[in-house]
């Protein structure tokens, strides 16, 4: 006979508007965006899950790593995908592709961030 698999879609989007400031001086906090958008679209059935996610952040004030002079870090948009499959006997395998479009960005002035990255993972759960 055929077994019917339960399939579920979900979508979540968060938009954050904030004013991250030092309460004593009123200055904006370094490396914190005033606008951030995160969104994810996920699908799963009883054994498999697939997700697509997006993060977009506005520019941020920062300090130059070498001189300490004020600089502005550009905003950026990152996308990624993930896939997970439950195997037998408590094992599962997953992979994710992060920074899908190989975006050049930095979270702090002078700090190198990863380009496109592929992660493979094998998990075991004894339950």
């Amino acid at each position: 006979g055929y077994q019917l698999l339960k399939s579920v879609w979900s979508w979540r989007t968060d938009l954050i508007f904030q004013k991250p400031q030092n309460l004593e001086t009123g200055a904006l906090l370094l490396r914190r965006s005033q606008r951030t958008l995160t969104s994810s679209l996920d699908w799963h059935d009883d054994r498999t899950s697939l997700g697509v996610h997006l993060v977009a952040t506005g520019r941020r004030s920062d300090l130059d790593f070498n001189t300490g002079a004020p600089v502005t870090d550009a905003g950026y948009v990152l996308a990624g995908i993930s896939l997970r499959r439950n195997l037998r006997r408590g094992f599962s395998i997953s992979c994710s592709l992060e920074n899908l479009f190989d975006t050049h960005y930095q979270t702090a002035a002078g700090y190198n961030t990863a380009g496109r990255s592929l992660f493979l993972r094998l998990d075991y759960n004894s339950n």
Side-chain angles (χ1 to χ4, degrees), residues 15-21 28-29 31-36 57 60:
L15 182 57
I16 298 171
F17 291 96
Q18 63 182 355
K19 189 171 183 181
Q21 68 183 140
L28 288 177
L29 297 175
R31 301 184 187 109
R32 289 165 180 84
S33 174
Q34 293 185 54
R35 295 179 310 276
T36 303
T57 184
R60 298 148 337 273

Side-chain angles (χ1 to χ4, degrees), residues 27-28 30-31 60-74 106 109-110:
L28 288 177
L30 298 177
R31 301 184 187 109
R60 298 148 337 273
S61 57
D62 203 348
L63 298 176
D64 182 87
F65 181 76
N66 294 314
T67 66
V71 295
T72 299
D73 295 327
Q106 58 184 12

Side-chain angles (χ1 to χ4, degrees), residues 50-106:
L50 174 66
V52 178
H53 54 273
L54 176 80
V55 175
T57 184
R59 62 180 192 228
R60 298 148 337 273
S61 57
D62 203 348
L63 298 176
D64 182 87
F65 181 76
N66 294 314
T67 66
V71 295
T72 299
D73 295 327
Y76 56 86
V77 176
L78 299 175
I81 57 175
S82 60
L83 176 65
R84 179 182 174 98
R85 176 78 173 177
N86 292 329
L87 306 172
R88 297 174 190 225
R89 298 186 178 142
F91 285 96
S92 65
I93 189 165
S94 61
C95 67
S96 63
L97 182 58
E98 302 297 326
N99 195 356
L100 182 64
F101 302 110
D102 202 20
T103 302
H104 176 74
Y105 72 104
Q106 58 184 12

